[in-house]
PDB file of all heavy atoms in Angstrom:
ATOM      1  N   ASP B  39     -10.226  22.787  -1.655  1.00 95.00           N
ATOM      2  CA  ASP B  39      -8.985  22.465  -0.947  1.00 95.00           C
ATOM      3  C   ASP B  39      -8.867  20.978  -0.627  1.00 95.00           C
ATOM      4  O   ASP B  39      -7.802  20.503  -0.254  1.00 95.00           O
ATOM      5  CB  ASP B  39      -8.903  23.256   0.363  1.00 95.00           C
ATOM      6  CG  ASP B  39      -8.785  24.748   0.109  1.00 95.00           C
ATOM      7  OD1 ASP B  39      -8.415  25.113  -1.029  1.00 95.00           O
ATOM      8  OD2 ASP B  39      -9.067  25.528   1.035  1.00 95.00           O
ATOM      9  N   ASP B  40      -9.963  20.257  -0.741  1.00 96.00           N
ATOM     10  CA  ASP B  40      -9.957  18.832  -0.398  1.00 96.00           C
ATOM     11  C   ASP B  40      -9.821  17.907  -1.605  1.00 96.00           C
ATOM     12  O   ASP B  40      -9.753  16.690  -1.439  1.00 96.00           O
ATOM     13  CB  ASP B  40     -11.244  18.473   0.363  1.00 96.00           C
ATOM     14  CG  ASP B  40     -11.173  18.888   1.827  1.00 96.00           C
ATOM     15  OD1 ASP B  40     -10.075  18.797   2.404  1.00 96.00           O
ATOM     16  OD2 ASP B  40     -12.207  19.284   2.377  1.00 96.00           O
ATOM     17  N   MET B  41      -9.783  18.485  -2.804  1.00 96.00           N
ATOM     18  CA  MET B  41      -9.701  17.667  -4.016  1.00 96.00           C
ATOM     19  C   MET B  41      -8.538  16.671  -3.953  1.00 96.00           C
ATOM     20  O   MET B  41      -8.691  15.487  -4.268  1.00 96.00           O
ATOM     21  CB  MET B  41      -9.527  18.552  -5.260  1.00 96.00           C
ATOM     22  CG  MET B  41     -10.809  19.201  -5.749  1.00 96.00           C
ATOM     23  SD  MET B  41     -12.064  18.026  -6.260  1.00 96.00           S
ATOM     24  CE  MET B  41     -11.660  17.858  -8.001  1.00 96.00           C
ATOM     25  N   GLY B  42      -7.376  17.181  -3.546  1.00 95.00           N
ATOM     26  CA  GLY B  42      -6.184  16.337  -3.499  1.00 95.00           C
ATOM     27  C   GLY B  42      -6.355  15.133  -2.588  1.00 95.00           C
ATOM     28  O   GLY B  42      -5.812  14.063  -2.833  1.00 95.00           O
ATOM     29  N   ARG B  43      -7.129  15.313  -1.515  1.00 95.00           N
ATOM     30  CA  ARG B  43      -7.292  14.221  -0.550  1.00 95.00           C
ATOM     31  C   ARG B  43      -8.123  13.072  -1.110  1.00 95.00           C
ATOM     32  O   ARG B  43      -7.921  11.918  -0.749  1.00 95.00           O
ATOM     33  CB  ARG B  43      -7.958  14.736   0.727  1.00 95.00           C
ATOM     34  CG  ARG B  43      -7.095  15.726   1.444  1.00 95.00           C
ATOM     35  CD  ARG B  43      -7.761  16.186   2.733  1.00 95.00           C
ATOM     36  NE  ARG B  43      -7.070  17.346   3.252  1.00 95.00           N
ATOM     37  CZ  ARG B  43      -5.930  17.265   3.925  1.00 95.00           C
ATOM     38  NH1 ARG B  43      -5.394  16.094   4.169  1.00 95.00           N
ATOM     39  NH2 ARG B  43      -5.330  18.350   4.336  1.00 95.00           N
ATOM     40  N   VAL B  44      -9.110  13.380  -1.939  1.00 96.00           N
ATOM     41  CA  VAL B  44      -9.942  12.290  -2.475  1.00 96.00           C
ATOM     42  C   VAL B  44      -9.403  11.750  -3.803  1.00 96.00           C
ATOM     43  O   VAL B  44      -9.822  10.687  -4.249  1.00 96.00           O
ATOM     44  CB  VAL B  44     -11.430  12.707  -2.640  1.00 96.00           C
ATOM     45  CG1 VAL B  44     -12.080  12.903  -1.272  1.00 96.00           C
ATOM     46  CG2 VAL B  44     -11.571  13.949  -3.486  1.00 96.00           C
ATOM     47  N   ILE B  45      -8.488  12.502  -4.427  1.00 96.00           N
ATOM     48  CA  ILE B  45      -7.891  12.012  -5.675  1.00 96.00           C
ATOM     49  C   ILE B  45      -6.563  11.312  -5.385  1.00 96.00           C
ATOM     50  O   ILE B  45      -6.335  10.199  -5.839  1.00 96.00           O
ATOM     51  CB  ILE B  45      -7.699  13.160  -6.681  1.00 96.00           C
ATOM     52  CG1 ILE B  45      -9.069  13.689  -7.120  1.00 96.00           C
ATOM     53  CG2 ILE B  45      -6.912  12.675  -7.908  1.00 96.00           C
ATOM     54  CD1 ILE B  45      -9.020  14.924  -7.973  1.00 96.00           C
ATOM     55  N   GLY B  46      -5.715  11.972  -4.597  1.00 94.00           N
ATOM     56  CA  GLY B  46      -4.440  11.355  -4.223  1.00 94.00           C
ATOM     57  C   GLY B  46      -3.379  11.521  -5.292  1.00 94.00           C
ATOM     58  O   GLY B  46      -3.677  11.888  -6.426  1.00 94.00           O
ATOM     59  N   ARG B  47      -2.159  11.239  -4.918  1.00 89.00           N
ATOM     60  CA  ARG B  47      -1.044  11.358  -5.858  1.00 89.00           C
ATOM     61  C   ARG B  47      -1.207  10.352  -6.988  1.00 89.00           C
ATOM     62  O   ARG B  47      -1.366   9.166  -6.751  1.00 89.00           O
ATOM     63  CB  ARG B  47       0.261  11.097  -5.109  1.00 89.00           C
ATOM     64  CG  ARG B  47       1.491  11.553  -5.855  1.00 89.00           C
ATOM     65  CD  ARG B  47       2.754  11.212  -5.101  1.00 89.00           C
ATOM     66  NE  ARG B  47       2.960  12.053  -3.921  1.00 89.00           N
ATOM     67  CZ  ARG B  47       2.898  11.628  -2.667  1.00 89.00           C
ATOM     68  NH1 ARG B  47       2.641  10.366  -2.408  1.00 89.00           N
ATOM     69  NH2 ARG B  47       3.091  12.434  -1.664  1.00 89.00           N
ATOM     70  N   GLY B  48      -1.236  10.871  -8.206  1.00 89.00           N
ATOM     71  CA  GLY B  48      -1.416   9.982  -9.356  1.00 89.00           C
ATOM     72  C   GLY B  48      -2.776   9.307  -9.373  1.00 89.00           C
ATOM     73  O   GLY B  48      -2.953   8.261  -9.983  1.00 89.00           O
ATOM     74  N   GLY B  49      -3.753   9.900  -8.662  1.00 93.00           N
ATOM     75  CA  GLY B  49      -5.102   9.328  -8.662  1.00 93.00           C
ATOM     76  C   GLY B  49      -5.246   8.080  -7.803  1.00 93.00           C
ATOM     77  O   GLY B  49      -6.194   7.310  -7.932  1.00 93.00           O
ATOM     78  N   ARG B  50      -4.289   7.883  -6.886  1.00 93.00           N
ATOM     79  CA  ARG B  50      -4.271   6.628  -6.145  1.00 93.00           C
ATOM     80  C   ARG B  50      -5.480   6.448  -5.210  1.00 93.00           C
ATOM     81  O   ARG B  50      -6.029   5.353  -5.107  1.00 93.00           O
ATOM     82  CB  ARG B  50      -2.964   6.546  -5.344  1.00 93.00           C
ATOM     83  CG  ARG B  50      -2.620   5.136  -5.059  1.00 93.00           C
ATOM     84  CD  ARG B  50      -1.233   4.915  -4.564  1.00 93.00           C
ATOM     85  NE  ARG B  50      -1.239   3.631  -3.877  1.00 93.00           N
ATOM     86  CZ  ARG B  50      -0.427   3.330  -2.887  1.00 93.00           C
ATOM     87  NH1 ARG B  50       0.465   4.190  -2.476  1.00 93.00           N
ATOM     88  NH2 ARG B  50      -0.499   2.159  -2.307  1.00 93.00           N
ATOM     89  N   VAL B  51      -5.869   7.540  -4.538  1.00 96.00           N
ATOM     90  CA  VAL B  51      -7.024   7.425  -3.634  1.00 96.00           C
ATOM     91  C   VAL B  51      -8.298   7.173  -4.445  1.00 96.00           C
ATOM     92  O   VAL B  51      -9.115   6.325  -4.103  1.00 96.00           O
ATOM     93  CB  VAL B  51      -7.174   8.698  -2.760  1.00 96.00           C
ATOM     94  CG1 VAL B  51      -8.392   8.573  -1.854  1.00 96.00           C
ATOM     95  CG2 VAL B  51      -5.917   8.928  -1.932  1.00 96.00           C
ATOM     96  N   ALA B  52      -8.436   7.919  -5.558  1.00 97.00           N
ATOM     97  CA  ALA B  52      -9.612   7.747  -6.414  1.00 97.00           C
ATOM     98  C   ALA B  52      -9.694   6.310  -6.931  1.00 97.00           C
ATOM     99  O   ALA B  52     -10.760   5.682  -6.901  1.00 97.00           O
ATOM    100  CB  ALA B  52      -9.553   8.731  -7.580  1.00 97.00           C
ATOM    101  N   ASN B  53      -8.571   5.767  -7.367  1.00 96.00           N
ATOM    102  CA  ASN B  53      -8.578   4.410  -7.906  1.00 96.00           C
ATOM    103  C   ASN B  53      -8.857   3.353  -6.838  1.00 96.00           C
ATOM    104  O   ASN B  53      -9.539   2.365  -7.106  1.00 96.00           O
ATOM    105  CB  ASN B  53      -7.262   4.112  -8.625  1.00 96.00           C
ATOM    106  CG  ASN B  53      -7.177   4.849  -9.955  1.00 96.00           C
ATOM    107  OD1 ASN B  53      -8.207   5.174 -10.548  1.00 96.00           O
ATOM    108  ND2 ASN B  53      -5.971   5.148 -10.408  1.00 96.00           N
ATOM    109  N   ALA B  54      -8.335   3.579  -5.643  1.00 97.00           N
ATOM    110  CA  ALA B  54      -8.618   2.640  -4.551  1.00 97.00           C
ATOM    111  C   ALA B  54     -10.111   2.690  -4.210  1.00 97.00           C
ATOM    112  O   ALA B  54     -10.743   1.656  -3.993  1.00 97.00           O
ATOM    113  CB  ALA B  54      -7.767   2.975  -3.329  1.00 97.00           C
ATOM    114  N   THR B  55     -10.661   3.906  -4.191  1.00 97.00           N
ATOM    115  CA  THR B  55     -12.096   4.049  -3.917  1.00 97.00           C
ATOM    116  C   THR B  55     -12.913   3.325  -4.983  1.00 97.00           C
ATOM    117  O   THR B  55     -13.893   2.643  -4.688  1.00 97.00           O
ATOM    118  CB  THR B  55     -12.490   5.540  -3.873  1.00 97.00           C
ATOM    119  OG1 THR B  55     -11.650   6.204  -2.919  1.00 97.00           O
ATOM    120  CG2 THR B  55     -13.947   5.726  -3.457  1.00 97.00           C
ATOM    121  N   ARG B  56     -12.491   3.463  -6.254  1.00 97.00           N
ATOM    122  CA  ARG B  56     -13.199   2.780  -7.351  1.00 97.00           C
ATOM    123  C   ARG B  56     -13.134   1.262  -7.191  1.00 97.00           C
ATOM    124  O   ARG B  56     -14.104   0.557  -7.468  1.00 97.00           O
ATOM    125  CB  ARG B  56     -12.585   3.182  -8.698  1.00 97.00           C
ATOM    126  CG  ARG B  56     -12.907   4.615  -9.068  1.00 97.00           C
ATOM    127  CD  ARG B  56     -12.447   4.973 -10.483  1.00 97.00           C
ATOM    128  NE  ARG B  56     -12.742   6.362 -10.742  1.00 97.00           N
ATOM    129  CZ  ARG B  56     -11.812   7.328 -10.892  1.00 97.00           C
ATOM    130  NH1 ARG B  56     -10.537   7.021 -10.845  1.00 97.00           N
ATOM    131  NH2 ARG B  56     -12.192   8.564 -11.093  1.00 97.00           N
ATOM    132  N   ALA B  57     -11.981   0.756  -6.738  1.00 97.00           N
ATOM    133  CA  ALA B  57     -11.836  -0.694  -6.554  1.00 97.00           C
ATOM    134  C   ALA B  57     -12.832  -1.190  -5.508  1.00 97.00           C
ATOM    135  O   ALA B  57     -13.454  -2.243  -5.680  1.00 97.00           O
ATOM    136  CB  ALA B  57     -10.400  -1.030  -6.137  1.00 97.00           C
ATOM    137  N   LEU B  58     -13.000  -0.420  -4.425  1.00 97.00           N
ATOM    138  CA  LEU B  58     -13.940  -0.829  -3.383  1.00 97.00           C
ATOM    139  C   LEU B  58     -15.382  -0.657  -3.860  1.00 97.00           C
ATOM    140  O   LEU B  58     -16.253  -1.459  -3.530  1.00 97.00           O
ATOM    141  CB  LEU B  58     -13.696  -0.015  -2.103  1.00 97.00           C
ATOM    142  CG  LEU B  58     -12.283  -0.149  -1.504  1.00 97.00           C
ATOM    143  CD1 LEU B  58     -12.192   0.563  -0.166  1.00 97.00           C
ATOM    144  CD2 LEU B  58     -11.885  -1.616  -1.343  1.00 97.00           C
ATOM    145  N   LEU B  59     -15.596   0.376  -4.675  1.00 97.00           N
ATOM    146  CA  LEU B  59     -16.937   0.597  -5.244  1.00 97.00           C
ATOM    147  C   LEU B  59     -17.346  -0.580  -6.136  1.00 97.00           C
ATOM    148  O   LEU B  59     -18.501  -0.995  -6.139  1.00 97.00           O
ATOM    149  CB  LEU B  59     -16.953   1.911  -6.041  1.00 97.00           C
ATOM    150  CG  LEU B  59     -18.242   2.229  -6.804  1.00 97.00           C
ATOM    151  CD1 LEU B  59     -19.416   2.401  -5.849  1.00 97.00           C
ATOM    152  CD2 LEU B  59     -18.071   3.484  -7.656  1.00 97.00           C
ATOM    153  N   ARG B  60     -16.370  -1.120  -6.883  1.00 96.00           N
ATOM    154  CA  ARG B  60     -16.660  -2.268  -7.756  1.00 96.00           C
ATOM    155  C   ARG B  60     -17.181  -3.456  -6.950  1.00 96.00           C
ATOM    156  O   ARG B  60     -18.081  -4.169  -7.387  1.00 96.00           O
ATOM    157  CB  ARG B  60     -15.402  -2.682  -8.531  1.00 96.00           C
ATOM    158  CG  ARG B  60     -15.227  -1.945  -9.847  1.00 96.00           C
ATOM    159  CD  ARG B  60     -14.228  -2.654 -10.757  1.00 96.00           C
ATOM    160  NE  ARG B  60     -12.882  -2.654 -10.201  1.00 96.00           N
ATOM    161  CZ  ARG B  60     -12.029  -1.640 -10.315  1.00 96.00           C
ATOM    162  NH1 ARG B  60     -12.377  -0.540 -10.953  1.00 96.00           N
ATOM    163  NH2 ARG B  60     -10.827  -1.711  -9.792  1.00 96.00           N
TER     164      ARG B  60
END
Side-chain angles (χ1 to χ4, degrees):
Chain B
D39 294 341
D40 281 324
M41 281 298 269
R43 295 182 193 281
V44 291
I45 294 173
R47 196 183 287 112
R50 204 167 159 208
V51 179
N53 287 334
T55 305
R56 289 187 182 112
L58 301 186
L59 175 63
R60 272 197 295 277

